[in-house]
Amino acid sequence: MQVAAAPRPRYDRKAPASRGRPRRDPRAEQETRRVPGGARPRYDLSQTVRFGPAPDAEPAPRPAADTPLIVEAPAFLVAVVPDALGGRLSAHDRQVLGAARALAGREGGVALVSLGPCEGGGQAGADRHVALESPAGDDPASRAAGIAAALRELRPRHVLFPESLAGGDLARRVALRMGAPLFDNAEVVGPQGLVRPARGRRVEQRVAPGLLATVAPDAVAEHAGPPREARPLALESPSAEPPPSPILSAVRIPADPATVPLALARFVTAAGNGIHDLDTFRQLVAALHATPGASRVLCDAGLMPRHAQVGASGTVLAATCYFALGISGAPQHLQGVAGCEHVVAVNTDLHAAMIERAGLAIVQDAQAVMPALLRLLAEEEGR
């Protein structure tokens, strides 16, 4: 509406429109998406407002961000058998759960089937959790027999495994026991079909979703929606006894972290320009059972080997934990740690880029922190 008695045409946007359709107020729509609580404003972009409410209207109450979604009676189940080493979901396991959520849609549910306890299933998108008794030792035949018996009773529509060293082997053993075909190394997962590369990635193979499939690493995004319930689900009949195995003993022997390549390391401790006592740094790396790394500054100076360099011009990590000592965080270095699940940083600069990237930050001189950590580790071993 135009304001009268003004030298230039001016309009009152708060006044209601006299004709035509009402004007949209994007600020009011944005306010309806705001999530209550928190020091910084956060908005739920999954909600779409078809028409903005009146400026004086109160936004509808929304559930808390950590309130899990509950599916009481799913139409069908999509089972996920993770690696879950040490009872924790890996990044690959969470990607497989994200693929399962895509297959389940709104009507289905996702069931996490693990050998032993497993944490974080609800945050990763699991509606149900079946914790089977882990067999004694590390016999793959016994694990496959237990998983196959549980899947026969659970009767899921689809079963997904991670295409990893352990998950791929387990998937093929389960497929043999169940007599079902296996579609391996799927890079696209959806209700319309599964897709994988073939013939040196020159062609693509597409099939309708079957019973068993494995998902390639870093091909499907993790579940980014609200958490799920992960309700414990007990099977009625106990698992069938596995057949006698010719394997007398099976033990997983971990690799020496000092010789593991950085690209395959799970725990990396790196030194930067703020570290001058490299002998103490090497003692700390050995005490933490970590793989040593370094910034480009130390590698260019010849203080650390070139293969230990972390960053875009060195090695890009996929570690579970990255411990940065005296590293400010150049852009190339941050690119190398972008895939790390947890980052811990020690630096004297509160506004350093590595401090901002870290989930846990210690604003202190790394030279003083290293001896303190060594003392604490020595006390823990002495108990």
Side-chain angles (χ1 to χ4, degrees), residues 230-255:
R231 180 188 305 176
L233 182 62
L235 301 181
E236 296 180 0
S237 61
S239 301
E241 289 293 332
S245 174
I247 300 177
L248 300 179
S249 176
V251 179
R252 184 181 297 272
I253 301 177

Side-chain angles (χ1 to χ4, degrees), residues 63-319:
D66 56 349
T67 302
L69 293 181
I70 299 176
V71 180
E72 290 294 342
F76 59 91
L77 290 177
V78 179
V80 173
V81 183
D83 290 337
L85 296 178
R88 294 181 66 255
L89 294 174
S90 65
H92 195 180
D93 294 334
R94 293 193 295 270
Q95 294 167 9
V96 178
L97 283 165
R101 286 250 58 95
L103 285 178
R106 296 185 177 181
E107 298 180 355
V110 175
L112 181 67
V113 182
S114 64
L115 291 171
C118 182
E119 302 176 356
Q123 295 290 338
D127 299 298
R128 302 290 187 271
H129 183 199
V130 180
L132 304 178
E133 184 178 355
S134 181
D138 196 16
D139 185 7
S142 300
R143 291 188 287 113
I147 292 294
L151 293 178
R152 291 191 186 97
E153 182 176 348
L154 198 59
R155 294 182 180 180
R157 180 178 294 184
H158 311 291
V159 183
L160 299 181
F161 298 81
E163 184 58 53
S164 59
L165 184 63
D169 177 77
L170 180 62
R172 287 155 179 82
R173 292 176 182 271
V174 171
L176 183 62
R177 287 183 173 275
M178 300 185 68
L182 173 68
F183 189 82
D184 63 330
N185 204 38
E187 294 188 352
V188 178
V189 180
Q192 295 77 16
L194 309 180
V195 180
R196 68 181 176 190
R199 299 179 184 177
R201 307 190 72 90
R202 293 192 299 270
V203 298
E204 290 183 344
Q205 294 179 346
R206 181 184 297 269
V207 298
L211 178 61
L212 302 177
T214 63
V215 181
D218 301 326
V220 182
E222 302 177 8
H223 173 62
R228 297 285 171 154
E229 183 183 12
R231 180 188 305 176
L233 182 62
L235 301 181
E236 296 180 0
S237 61
S239 301
E241 289 293 332
S245 174
I247 300 177
L248 300 179
S249 176
V251 179
R252 184 181 297 272
I253 301 177
D256 184 6
T259 60
V260 171
L262 279 179
L264 303 178
R266 310 311 303 168
F267 181 23
V268 178
T269 300
N273 197 30
I275 297 297
H276 307 292
D277 188 359
L278 292 179
D279 292 336
T280 305
F281 169 73
R282 295 186 179 95
Q283 295 176 16
L284 180 61
V285 171
L288 292 173
H289 304 287
T291 302
S295 64
R296 182 176 179 175
V297 176
L298 293 187
C299 294
D300 290 345
L303 301 176
M304 291 290 289
R306 183 61 63 182
H307 63 79
Q309 180 178 336
V310 177
S313 57
T315 302
V316 177
L317 304 181

Side-chain angles (χ1 to χ4, degrees), residues 30-54:
Q30 186 75 352
E31 189 63 27
T32 61
R33 300 189 182 100
R34 184 165 181 173
V35 178
R40 299 176 59 184
R42 299 179 60 189
Y43 299 93
D44 184 5
L45 301 181
S46 63
Q47 303 294 330
T48 302
V49 180
R50 295 186 178 274
F51 195 82

